[in-house]
């Protein structure tokens, strides 16, 4: 700690603090323009200048100058005021002052400083900038006439996003911020640069002329898309979400968001949302009252008796899931499941069998301090983009070494010094096994107190680095290096994402990752962690609350299978559209056709269209409750707008259903939270008051494994097909909901098949051509996207778009053998 | 990703042989601080920096294309457009200016249709207005590649242009 005096006030701060940070901590205001908490110190704008007694004769930039013991700082004097005013005058020389039509007006740093320093006249004169506005893309508008060259957009896109859209170009008066070749912006559209820009030079286009900032009501809540659990701030007006606002005070994401969280909100206001219950009469779905609909559900379920299955999505709140679980008990069925029922088994069975827990062992922020990071299969920049940004910072700021086990290249593989173990599809297990085998062979494994060591050793016999290198196409030395690095690292992280399109080997991969975490000592060690991250906003909550088949129950796949053959009579789908997204569409359709079907959703989805009763639910922005993210952080979901028409939250609907079943339901979500924490392992004693700005992590920052059991798992099987198709998720989308949101659709609105340049040349395909593939006795077609990230022979298709009907041939296999049709 | 038709057209228009660029990159691949030598090498090969080579460099050296563009626009030595076989440098320094360099520039514009940093369509000439080139004694001065022409007049300019045109 360091002691200093600022404006006569004694301040004690950590020795890494800058003068600016010290002042801020003491509640003393210093203006800044180019400073941002989450970016590296820069010191370009000079509005934060202060006087330091020990550094007489010049003014000192407070945002870059570290504090020293005994420093005496003055933050305001005639001299300082004069210099700051001059800086502003300079900035205003060429700046078009078009505040009346600038969406930033009212929260613009330049506007505020100009006002504060009363810059009424300007001693300098110059031409106003007259650069064309960049409005090529539908999401972000750039007006460089308003730019003050603070460089924050350049830095955030590099330091955090790792995309690198911008650069300073030219020199002198001509200096400006531009993209490569000064084209229109064409990037990931995460909107980070929008959040960072202190002026109105980078703005969200969907928000144009929607509201003045001061007219917006702000509500902090949790993003409804992925398991990262980013805090987003809804900017609401006229009972609609008008925009998503920057908030770096609350939550785990430092204000960072991805395109879905930042621009994927429009579906919340959509006029296509269901507003009334519907029941099927004479073959037609017709609007009905809630009483009629609830009666129809009760009658239908009663008729089915225990021949009933319930499948839920993972975007319901914990409180809603709790009611759902109670409802399943009331109905007397243990056929309860979520998210397709397979993809999460890495957690519920893999981690359970090895570590005796069903969750990630550590929290996201800890990854930033890791020395070694191993990412398995998914590129987190695509599945959990903001976690990807954390990894990027670990690498850039703390020189973490990243190893990526992947079947295609991606943003992770491009991060500085990333080591990529690029393997043939379906063989990630083999590589993890090989890493374990190297640890054992080279005596690097920490085997004290581990059960099952002999069995594992036996199981790993055929997974020597050499053999695996040969079958996977990965360099043997790279496998060994990875093992050595993980063993040597003081803090290390193993990351594995799961989700609907990644169901293959889910349990085995969970086990293999757990084995590795045990042998390296990562599991349960302070600062290190094993992360198994769920696809959806409340995937972890669904596991914690036990939305899983009971001992006598069957899982989602079996339920659908049974329903398709008439063995199961009724199905209740809560916030899930299996026809669009579950593997094996043909079977799923049959199930939906056969069963007495109740669908509870926001939209009339393809599944809902087949329902006997449709119950209109509401989005995350219209309800209160909690989500538990992929690192076990329980956070508050807050209602920003009122639901439209007769739609109700899943909570309210389940209250009605429970009471129709003659059961009591908690009256409020607050009551439900109290009840669920009492019953949920790990949640005991947690109260809503404990969910502070950073939420509350159940099981504490480090969740200690309960058991330490090594379990041998076999390897994957490579496909021999010349062309192979991988199924996965794409950055711009999350599940199927985002395909109903304008923002993500503005960038990627339909399915595509990605092929590498070599294959494109061989098959004489160009970007945008229609490609037909024969696969599994069926046919697929979509437009071609030519990319540089796939190995030859490997193609990729995102699973979000129902229209492509990818799930007719995707049945959960690790890779699909395909044959291009001429 | 969204790309305007214009952007797509522009990209396909430019089909150049990346072989030489790849060779340059190979040469410096493992060197630290290799961006400048690579760009200089590419310019030497092609006479300018074709856009495709920027994307290639970005991919192979793992730097952002935007960053390369920043470097290319910061240093006057780099050219993003193809340049003429003959570079006519018209000195616009003080001495030359006083002695009528402006008129010389105008003459070139009239005869060849190119102003500062512009290139004739047949890629024979590029005009560049430059600061003092250290031959004030012979002002006004122009240079064509390495040859210097002093005390130049409108008529002499014509002759110089004709001479290089004839050489083709
Ligand atoms: S939106 Fe994101 S990726 Fe695009 S330029 Fe801004 S920060 Fe970079
Ligand atoms: S566009 Fe905005 S963030 Fe970027 S340099 Fe200009 S003022 Fe700063
Ligand atoms: S989708 Fe995930 S990473 Fe993106 S903003 Fe939402 S929670 Fe964050
Ligand atoms: S905020 Fe300190 S120099 Fe810009
Ligand atoms: S001014 Fe032209 S040579 Fe010096």
């Amino acid at each position: 700690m360091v002691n200093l005096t600022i404006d006569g006030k004694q301040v004690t701060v950590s020795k890494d603090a800058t003068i600016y940070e010290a002042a801020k901590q003491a509640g003393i205001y210093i203006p800044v323009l180019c400073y941002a908490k989450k970016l590296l110190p820069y010191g370009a704008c000079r509005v934060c200048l202060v006087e330091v007694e020990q550094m007489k004769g010049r003014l000192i930039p407070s945002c870059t100058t570290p504090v020293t013991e005994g420093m005496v700082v003055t933050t305001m004097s005639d001299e300082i005021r004069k210099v700051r005013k001059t800086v502003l005058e300079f900035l205003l020389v060429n700046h078009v002052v078009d505040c009346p039509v600038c969406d930033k007006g009212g929260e613009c740093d330049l506007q505020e400083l100009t006002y504060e320093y009363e810059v009424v006249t300007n001693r300098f004169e110059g031409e106003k900038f007259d650069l064309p506005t960049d409005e090529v893309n539908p999401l972000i508008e750039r007006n460089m006439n308003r730019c003050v060259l603070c460089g924050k957009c350049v830095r955030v896109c590099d330091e955090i996003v790792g995309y690198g859209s911008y650069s300073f170009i030219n020199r002198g008066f001509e200096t400006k911020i531009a993209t490569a070749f000064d084209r229109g912006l064409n990037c990931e559209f995460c909107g980070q640069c929008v959040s960072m820009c202190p002026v109105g030079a980078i703005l969200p286009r969907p928000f144009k002329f929607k509201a003045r900032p001061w007219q917006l009501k702000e509500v902090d809540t949790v993003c409804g898309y992925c398991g990262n659990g980013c805090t987003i701030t809804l900017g609401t007006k006229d009972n609609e979400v008008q925009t998503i606002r920057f908030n770096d005070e609350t939550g785990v994401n430092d204000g960072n968001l991805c395109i879905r969280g930042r621009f994927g909100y429009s579906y919340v206001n959509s006029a296509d949302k269901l507003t009334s219950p519907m029941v099927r009469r004479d073959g037609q779905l017709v609007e009905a009252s809630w009483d009629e609909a609830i009666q129809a559900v009760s009658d239908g379920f009663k008729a089915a008796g225990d021949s009933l299955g319930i499948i839920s999505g993972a975007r319901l709140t914990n409180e809603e899931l709790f009611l759902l679980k109670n409802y399943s008990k009331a109905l007397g069925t243990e056929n309860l499941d979520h998210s397709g029922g397979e993809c999460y088994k890495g957690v519920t069975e893999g981690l359970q069998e090895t570590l005796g827990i069903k969750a990630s062992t550590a929290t996201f922020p800890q990854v930033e301090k890791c020395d070694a990071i191993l990412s398995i299969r998914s590129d987190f920049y695509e599945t959990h983009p903001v976690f990807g940004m954390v990894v990027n910072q670990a690498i850039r700021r703390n020189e973490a070494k990243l190893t990526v086990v992947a079947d295609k290249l991606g943003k992770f593989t491009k991060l500085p010094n990333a080591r990529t173990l690029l393997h043939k599809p379906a063989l990630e297990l083999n590589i993890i096994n090989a890493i374990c085998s190297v640890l054992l062979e080279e005596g690097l494994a920490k085997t004290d107190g581990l059960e099952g060591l002999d069995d594992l050793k036996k199981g790993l016999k055929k997974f020597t680095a050499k053999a695996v290198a040969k079958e996977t196409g990965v360099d043997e030395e790279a496998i060994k290096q990875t093992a050595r690095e993980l063993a040597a690292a003081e803090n290390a992280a193993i990351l594995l994402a799961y989700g609907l399109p990644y169901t293959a080997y889910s349990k085995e991969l969970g086990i293999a990752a757990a084995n590795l975490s045990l042998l390296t000592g990562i599991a349960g060690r302070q600062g290190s962690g094993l992360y198994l991250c769920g696809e959806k906003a409340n995937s972890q909550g669904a596991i914690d609350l036990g939305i899983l088949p009971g001992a006598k129950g069957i899982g989602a796949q079996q339920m659908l299978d049974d329903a398709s053959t008439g063995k199961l009579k009724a199905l209740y789908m809560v916030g899930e559209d299996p026809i669009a997204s579950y593997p094996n569409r043909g079977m799923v359709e049959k199930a939906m056709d056969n069963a007495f079907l109740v669908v509870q959703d926001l939209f009339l989805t393809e599944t809902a269209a087949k329902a006997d009763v449709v119950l209109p639910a509401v989005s995350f922005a219209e309800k209160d409750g909690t989500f538990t993210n992929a690192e076990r952080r329980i956070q508050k979901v807050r209602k920003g707008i009122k639901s439209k028409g007769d739609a109700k939250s899943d909570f309210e609907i389940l209250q009605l259903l429970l009471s129709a079943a003659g059961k009591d339901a908690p009256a409020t979500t607050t009551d439900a939270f109290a009840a669920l924490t009492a019953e949920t392992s790990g949640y005991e004693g947690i109260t809503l008051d404990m969910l502070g700005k950073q939420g509350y992590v159940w099981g504490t920052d480090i969740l200690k494994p309960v058991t330490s059991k090594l379990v041998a798992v076999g390897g994957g099987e490579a496909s021999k097909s010349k062309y192979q198709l991988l199924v996965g998720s794409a950055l711009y989308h999350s599940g199927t909901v985002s395909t109903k949101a304008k923002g993500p659709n503005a960038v990627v609105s339909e399915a595509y098949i990605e092929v590498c340049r070599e294959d494109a040349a061989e098959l004489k395909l160009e970007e945008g051509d229609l490609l037909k593939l024969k696969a599994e006795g069926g046919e697929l077609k979509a437009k071609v996207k030519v990319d540089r990230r796939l190995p030859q022979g490997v193609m990729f298709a995102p699973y979000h778009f129902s229209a492509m009907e990818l799930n007719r041939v995707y049945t959960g296999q690790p890779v699909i053998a395909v044959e291009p049709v001429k | 990703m969204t790309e305007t038709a214009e952007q797509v057209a522009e990209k396909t228009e430019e089909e150049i042989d990346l072989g030489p660029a790849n060779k340059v990159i190979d040469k410096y691949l493992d060197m630290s601080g290799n961006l400048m030598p690579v760009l200089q090498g590419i310019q030497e090969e092609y006479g300018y920096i074709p856009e495709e080579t920027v994307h290639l460099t970005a991919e192979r050296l793992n730097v952002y294309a935007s960053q390369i563009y920043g470097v290319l626009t910061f240093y006057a030595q780099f050219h993003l457009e193809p340049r003429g076989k003959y570079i006519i440098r018209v000195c616009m320094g003080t001495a030359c200016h006083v002695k009528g360099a402006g008129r010389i520039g105008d003459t070139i514009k009239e005869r060849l249709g190119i102003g500062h940093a512009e290139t004739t369509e047949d890629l024979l000439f590029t005009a560049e207005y430059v600061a003092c080139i250290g031959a004030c004694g012979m002002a006004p001065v122009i240079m064509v590649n390495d040859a210097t022409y002093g005390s130049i007049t409108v008529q002499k300019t014509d002759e110089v242009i004709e001479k290089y045109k004839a050489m083709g």
Side-chain angles (χ1 to χ4, degrees), chain A residues 103-165:
Chain A
D103 269 316
K104 196 78 175 183
E107 54 177 352
C108 167
D109 290 354
L110 182 62
Q111 197 185 46
E112 268 152 38
L113 287 170
T114 304
Y115 190 84
E116 186 187 334
Y117 285 82
E118 300 175 20
V119 191
V120 190
T121 53
N122 202 330
R123 284 170 292 152
F124 313 103
E125 245 179 67
E127 250 171 75
K128 294 292 175 196
F129 287 125
D130 188 18
L131 302 161
T133 314
D134 168 11
E135 38 189 20
V136 170
N137 75 79
L139 297 177
I140 295 175
E141 174 180 298
R142 294 165 59 242
N143 181 339
M144 288 303 114
N145 301 313
R146 297 177 183 152
C147 172
V148 294
L149 296 176
C150 70
K152 280 195 210 172
C153 56
V154 179
R155 291 180 286 144
V156 77
C157 194
D158 169 32
E159 283 175 36
I160 291 179
V161 186
Y163 190 86
S165 279

Side-chain angles (χ1 to χ4, degrees), chain A residues 158 164 171 183 414 788, chain B residues 10 51 59 62 64 66 74:
Chain A
D158 169 32
R171 56 161 95 194
R183 298 259 164 73
K414 277 201 201 165
R788 304 170 187 222
Chain B
E10 225 167 296
E51 178 167 345
E59 192 188 328
N62 202 12
Y64 305 130
S66 63
F74 186 84

Side-chain angles (χ1 to χ4, degrees), chain A residues 136 158 162-171 179-184 186-187 396 414 732 746 757 788, chain B residues 1-4 7 10-11 51-52 54-56 59 62 64-67 69-71 73-76 80:
Chain A
V136 170
D158 169 32
Y163 190 86
S165 279
Y166 304 123
S167 170
F168 283 91
I169 66 159
N170 305 329
R171 56 161 95 194
T179 58
F181 297 93
D182 214 352
R183 298 259 164 73
N186 182 7
C187 63
R396 278 167 211 260
K414 277 201 201 165
Y732 306 94
R757 280 183 295 189
R788 304 170 187 222
Chain B
M1 288 198 212
T2 48
E3 238 172 319
T4 59
Q7 285 178 1
E10 225 167 296
K11 263 192 202 159
E51 178 167 345
E52 261 310 288
V54 171
H55 295 298
L56 179 80
E59 192 188 328
N62 202 12
Y64 305 130
S66 63
Q67 216 172 323
Y69 187 65
V71 170
T73 54
F74 186 84
Y75 294 102
L80 287 157

